[in-house]
Amino acid sequence: KIEAVPLLFLDLGLAYKWIENRDGLINAVTPLLELHYSLGMRNRDQLQFGQPGSQVFGFETSGRISVLNLTAGASLQMGDSIFVRPAVSIPLSNGAGASYDYEFGVHVNILR
């Protein structure tokens, strides 16, 4: 029987409006740093395939899930209505918490 594990999420973000009201292509720059922490509130289930008592294949191990990630990025304002936000995220935890090496993304908002 597989059950969902309740998760606790803690996030901390820091940003500083570095450049604002500037002429040119980029009018404002706001760098940011974020820490994202997730903790399983109880032990997760262990998934096994094979005969009971003999572990032919085990997916993950029992225990608590603990994930810590660091995200760094910036918010770039172009004109009055375009915001571009590139960022990169890297895991700071090991084991199951390090499910990727890094992640890069760009978020674009165009306001009307």
Side-chain angles (χ1 to χ4, degrees):
K1 180 178 174 183
I2 298 175
E3 298 178 348
V5 176
L7 293 174
L8 171 68
F9 295 104
L10 298 172
D11 299 313
L12 174 66
L14 300 170
Y16 177 73
K17 195 142 204 177
W18 181 38
I19 298 171
E20 61 182 321
N21 300 326
R22 180 177 170 259
D23 291 331
L25 178 64
I26 298 175
N27 305 109
V29 177
T30 306
L32 59 95
L33 280 174
E34 298 175 352
L35 278 173
H36 302 279
Y37 181 66
S38 302
L39 175 66
M41 299 305 290
R42 65 175 175 81
N43 289 347
R44 61 183 173 213
D45 296 323
Q46 186 173 11
L47 183 60
Q48 295 180 354
F49 297 97
Q51 298 296 324
S54 67
Q55 182 176 345
V56 176
F57 175 75
F59 180 72
E60 296 294 343
T61 58
S62 61
R64 288 189 174 213
I65 298 170
S66 178
V67 179
L68 179 63
N69 299 323
L70 173 69
T71 302
S75 178
L76 310 172
Q77 181 180 349
M78 299 175 185
D80 291 332
S81 60
I82 299 175
F83 295 86
V84 179
R85 296 181 180 104
V88 64
S89 178
I90 56 172
L92 300 178
S93 54
N94 294 323
S99 57
Y100 62 96
D101 293 328
Y102 63 91
E103 178 180 32
F104 180 77
V106 178
H107 186 209
V108 178
N109 280 347
I110 301 174
L111 307 175
R112 294 185 189 198

